[in-house]
Amino acid sequence: MRRRSEASSLLRQTDLPPGLPFIDGAFRPGSSSQAINVIDPCTERVIAQIAEGTVEDTDVAVAAAVKAAPGWAALTPKERSETLHRIADRVSENSELLARLESANTGKPGMVAEDDVAQTVDTFRFMAGALRATTSAAAGRYAADHLSTILREPLGVVGVVTPWNYPLLMAAWKIAPILAAGNTLVIKPSEQTPLTTLKFAELVADLLPPGVLNVVPGYGPTVGTRLAEHPDVAMIALTGSVRSGKAVAQAAAATLKRVHLELGGKAPVVIFPDADLDSAATALRTAGFWNSGQECGAGCRVLVHADVAERFTALLVEQVSTLVVGEPGTGDDVELGPLISKAHFDRVTGYLERAQAAGVRAALGGSALAGNGYFVAPTVLVDVPEGAECAQEEIFGPVITVETFTDEAEAIARANAVPYGLSASVWTDDARRSHDVAARLDAGTVWVNAHLVLANEVPWGGFKGSGYGRDLSIYALDDYSRTKHVMHHVGR
Ligand code: NAD
């Protein structure tokens, strides 16, 4: 495993954003003197301190967003689009800094952080274009003597809560369509990874009118809950765990605000005997381990036909054993970093210990890596019985489980037998089978002979316990706006 030398650091003090709430166009002291330590998961050292946002700070930020809403909504699509393009340019010009900051906070390898920033730029560019080309039912006479027009309106102020796994990118997936649709927002980044969201606010501060984008760092049960409860917030959008999703949905119920939830996943990878096993194993090397497996769409639950299980498992182990693990800044070829925190490390290693105690075998890895930081070895678990905990619950680490099946109906039933429904893949060269099985898999995204390939033009979001609402694409623009029908009596 690659380690940085004692002296080398990814960060200079001047790279850091002010550790304060960003409200009404400027960083402002919050109402609390408490701070949250931001930890480098490679070294377990504190790299920054950020003010702990409060209910009062949240209320001030919402008031700023309310004040800014009519002006932002009144801009023409062209004007909003130009601002979003300028934001994309600004992020692009600061790619290296943002990627470094993200790596320092999360331990992400450079290649992952750079991809996050590139995708952030593309998200703003896509939404800048899409907002100028919205579609809906044509104006027309749908009742005798009445002319109908359908308007798309912004919702108003949107509250946003984001997770730690892709801090900047998940913020962009919300901020871009929310602004594109003409809303203003208050965003709370994860308390573990606030740096790039605050840096983003600093970088684009001169591009947006004050109050259009506000950032309140802090904990979920205070800032997140207040956003979900606040009577002046029209929608709460959260990417995170099922538990947090349920909490915000409950808090939002009292004001009947809209709720948009991108939650966890446990993606099945269903491999039939006619599949190209080499390409499946190669694809899972990335799809199961990108971002250290801390990925809601990770291909982490293989269901492979018994006839090819041995051959496929050998290919998978061979592929996964070549992953380069290390700290960011120790080479462009590092592919896998640490887990985000001590608590998450304990959670993931707990799953590994319980699985092995129950008779599941680690064909590769299976435990933590020695030394500082929250590193876990890339792991392939085999001899996994139906219903095993490790194949049912979201581990969210560098772990793939391999189960076998003998019959198609059984494979589909087992693939669907988890509370999640975010994504899935099916591997077969039989086109009739791939269409049919894809239709029967209960997931918001199904790949055929691929896994974890995303694009801004296509929607992302789940079924069942993975939540509702869609990120990316014109579907996100729809989610962040409301439909108004205006009917004119035109009879004479
Ligand atoms: P988490 O739920 O612990 O935290 C997510 C955010 O919710 C954080 O900002 C946190 O402070 C906040 N939060 C926590 N409790 C809250 C409460 N009671 N009210 C309001 N906000 C609250 O999730 P995490 O550990 O940061 O992220 C990992 C999870 O996110 C995984 O389950 C993963 O699958 C999911 N995720 C989903 C997607 C997707 O697109 N579906 C993308 C990335 C991550």
Side-chain angles (χ1 to χ4, degrees):
M1 191 178 76
R2 308 268 184 77
R3 295 279 189 185
R4 284 193 298 266
S5 71
E6 256 317 283
S8 65
S9 163
L10 284 180
L11 279 186
R12 290 177 293 268
Q13 217 44 36
T14 50
D15 295 335
L16 291 170
L20 296 171
F22 179 83
I23 297 176
D24 208 11
F27 288 96
R28 301 176 194 280
S31 63
S32 158
S33 54
Q34 300 293 314
I36 299 174
N37 287 335
V38 179
I39 313 264
D40 171 357
C42 294
T43 60
E44 307 176 47
R45 291 203 194 109
V46 176
I47 54 169
Q49 288 200 311
I50 302 294
E52 180 185 329
T54 61
V55 168
E56 295 73 49
D57 300 337
T58 312
D59 287 352
V60 176
V62 171
V66 167
K67 188 161 62 90
W72 182 250
L75 294 179
T76 61
K78 177 172 185 286
E79 289 165 330
R80 280 205 301 275
S81 170
E82 283 168 353
T83 301
L84 262 60
H85 275 301
R86 278 185 217 114
I87 292 175
D89 292 343
R90 190 63 62 81
V91 172
S92 180
E93 287 153 19
N94 290 278
S95 292
E96 190 272 336
L97 167 62
L98 285 164
R100 211 154 31 75
L101 205 52
E102 199 77 302
S103 282
N105 192 166
T106 61
K108 277 175 199 266
M111 66 169 74
V112 179
E114 284 156 22
D115 184 69
D116 289 2
V117 179
Q119 295 307 321
T120 295
V121 173
D122 194 47
T123 300
F124 279 96
R125 292 218 192 288
F126 173 81
M127 289 300 167
L131 80 93
R132 300 185 68 179
T134 48
T135 53
S136 66
R141 296 190 180 206
Y142 298 108
D145 293 336
H146 288 78
L147 173 67
S148 289
T149 52
I150 310 288
L151 304 178
R152 297 296 293 170
E153 294 184 343
L155 300 171
V157 176
V158 181
V160 177
V161 177
T162 50
W164 47 257
N165 61 340
Y166 296 101
L168 179 66
L169 186 57
M170 291 302 102
W173 281 19
K174 305 292 188 219
I175 295 169
I178 287 169
L179 294 183
N183 307 284
T184 58
L185 72 136
V186 178
I187 181 169
K188 187 203 85 64
S190 165
E191 59 278 14
Q192 298 176 76
T193 55
L195 299 183
T196 47
T197 306
L198 289 168
K199 193 74 196 178
F200 173 86
E202 185 185 15
L203 290 170
V204 305
D206 64 319
L207 302 179
L208 286 166
V212 169
L213 165 71
N214 305 277
V215 184
V216 181
Y219 292 107
T222 43
V223 178
T225 299
R226 182 60 186 155
L227 286 173
E229 291 171 347
H230 201 298
D232 294 339
V233 171
M235 177 192 251
I236 181 81
L238 175 137
T239 298
S241 61
V242 174
R243 197 166 51 111
S244 305
K246 287 180 180 170
V248 296
Q250 268 168 4
T255 50
L256 279 182
K257 62 170 56 65
R258 294 177 189 218
V259 179
H260 188 279
L261 299 174
E262 299 290 344
L263 309 177
K266 186 76 179 173
V269 178
V270 184
I271 303 177
F272 287 97
D274 64 329
D276 178 341
L277 299 182
D278 267 318
S279 60
T282 309
L284 285 190
R285 181 185 188 279
T286 304
F289 296 91
W290 187 253
N291 207 36
S292 306
Q294 302 170 122
E295 158 62 61
C296 47
C300 55
R301 185 163 59 104
V302 171
L303 287 151
V304 59
H305 194 279
D307 288 355
V308 293
E310 202 178 318
R311 225 170 84 233
F312 173 75
T313 305
L315 289 168
L316 181 66
V317 167
E318 189 186 319
Q319 282 291 333
V320 176
S321 63
T322 62
L323 282 166
V324 180
V325 184
E327 300 185 7
T330 56
D332 293 342
D333 55 343
V334 172
E335 297 169 289
L336 205 105
L339 300 178
I340 189 69
S341 64
K342 175 76 166 72
H344 190 48
F345 172 87
D346 289 344
R347 208 177 143 266
V348 171
T349 50
Y351 275 116
L352 295 178
E353 282 158 19
R354 287 193 299 280
Q356 290 170 90
V360 169
R361 187 167 61 84
L364 187 73
S367 58
L369 292 169
N372 284 344
Y374 312 128
F375 289 89
V376 169
T379 295
V380 177
L381 296 179
V382 298
D383 303 338
V384 176
E386 187 178 347
E389 181 198 57
C390 62
Q392 292 281 303
E393 295 187 14
E394 187 182 42
I395 297 178
F396 223 54
V399 182
I400 288 184
T401 59
V402 182
E403 298 167 74
T404 59
F405 69 89
T406 49
D407 146 281
E408 183 179 298
E410 176 203 355
I412 294 167
R414 280 168 59 192
N416 289 335
V418 288
Y420 298 105
L422 186 58
S423 64
S425 62
V426 49
W427 296 78
T428 174
D429 277 351
D430 178 338
R432 287 178 197 231
R433 171 144 68 192
S434 68
H435 281 288
D436 187 37
V437 173
R440 289 156 67 198
L441 286 172
D442 216 358
T445 295
V446 180
W447 292 279
V448 175
N449 296 328
H451 200 109
L452 207 61
V453 183
L454 278 78
N456 265 296
E457 288 78 358
V458 286
W460 178 256
F463 299 152
K464 305 195 293 185
S466 295
Y468 39 82
R470 291 295 175 263
D471 279 336
L472 307 179
S473 78
I474 54 172
Y475 294 92
L477 277 180
D478 277 353
D479 282 358
Y480 294 121
S481 51
R482 62 185 191 184
T483 305
K484 180 180 282 177
H485 169 212
V486 182
M487 188 180 246
H488 307 257
H489 180 237
V490 291
R492 310 186 57 179

